[in-house]
Amino acid sequence: MQLSLLRGLSEASLSFASSIGCRTTGLPGSTLLSASHSSSAAMSLLESAKKAAAFRAVDECVKDKDVVGVGSGSTVVYAVERLAERVKTEKLQLVCIPTSFQARQLIVENNLVLGDLSLYPSLDIAIDGADEVDKDFTAIKGGGGCLTQEKIVASCAKRFVVIADYTKDSQILGEQYKKGIPIEVIPLAYVPVMNKIKALYGGNVELRMAKMKAGPVVTDNGNFILDWVFLEDKFNWESVNTQLNLIPGVVETGLFVNMAERAFFGYADGSVKEKTCPQK
Ligand SMILES: O=C(CO)[C@H](O)[C@H](O)COP(=O)(O)O
């Protein structure tokens, strides 16, 4: 099946499912059933793609005695699953460094050895998901709000490897991921930071709101997240990242520039597109 068709199927069924979620009365049961079936079919296609990327990356990039940075998000769940399988079957000795509360839980639940940056400040490899990766290997991260710890851990690793499904593989940032650049901020500074970003670069900046709690999302570090939806497509991301980090109150940005060495993009049929950064 063509990729665009797969993506269309996935998006159409997901948006249809969410639209009927608001008005389920009056729809015949069979319509609901088929909508939820096509929605879960699209979901499982994406899950297969994530799993393929994660398994391939762990198999190709992790070796015995590595200190491994464990990223956050739904794709990383499969990477941890594969790490645990390899530890069991191949008796690998690994130490895993988490990038979030979620990653820590995954490491512990999968009986992997948990470390931290004070004990292991130098990592062999960090494996993490991404919201989008452009042709220059610049990545947007932080869709799950864990960008600061993710960037710290990745910066301590000799190799930073991205795992993602095919929908994250773009020519330019913003081509597919429309939610903007996540930026972690100290809570008291969020309005001045929003105003400064808009004055510098235009676009729209929003405070990320929680879904199951009143008020904003609070990060693992006790901070807020801004999402900057940019309008231009010709930014020099290295310079933007530097400038954003100079705004007082900004903790870190979700722009990962010159960090990833390899990217593994999985497809629903189990195949994986591997890319290596030419600059690395
Ligand atoms: O940066 C992240 C969390 O802060 C995630 O890695 C990113 O959002 C991708 O997540 P997923 O694997 O669920 O698509």
Side-chain angles (χ1 to χ4, degrees), residues 50 71-77 102 128-132 140-148 150 163-165 168 177 208 256:
K50 292 177 192 183
S72 311
S74 56
T75 314
V76 163
V77 173
Q102 180 221 6
D128 205 343
D131 301 300
E132 192 165 38
I140 298 177
K141 289 191 45 55
C146 310
L147 55 132
T148 300
E150 290 172 338
I163 50 176
D165 65 74
K168 317 287 185 71
Y177 187 69
R208 192 182 295 181
F256 282 46

Side-chain angles (χ1 to χ4, degrees), residues 187-214:
L188 71 83
Y190 88 92
V191 172
V193 172
M194 279 172 124
N195 293 341
K196 284 172 184 159
I197 295 171
K198 277 189 264 187
L200 270 172
Y201 298 114
N204 192 31
V205 188
E206 289 202 354
L207 177 64
R208 192 182 295 181
M209 301 307 283
K211 294 265 159 60
M212 300 291 285
K213 158 194 171 284

Side-chain angles (χ1 to χ4, degrees), residues 48-71:
S48 306
K50 292 177 192 183
K51 185 172 179 173
F55 272 46
R56 178 73 68 84
V58 168
D59 287 352
E60 282 199 15
C61 302
V62 177
K63 57 182 191 331
D64 193 24
K65 305 224 168 2
D66 272 355
V67 178
V68 184
V70 174

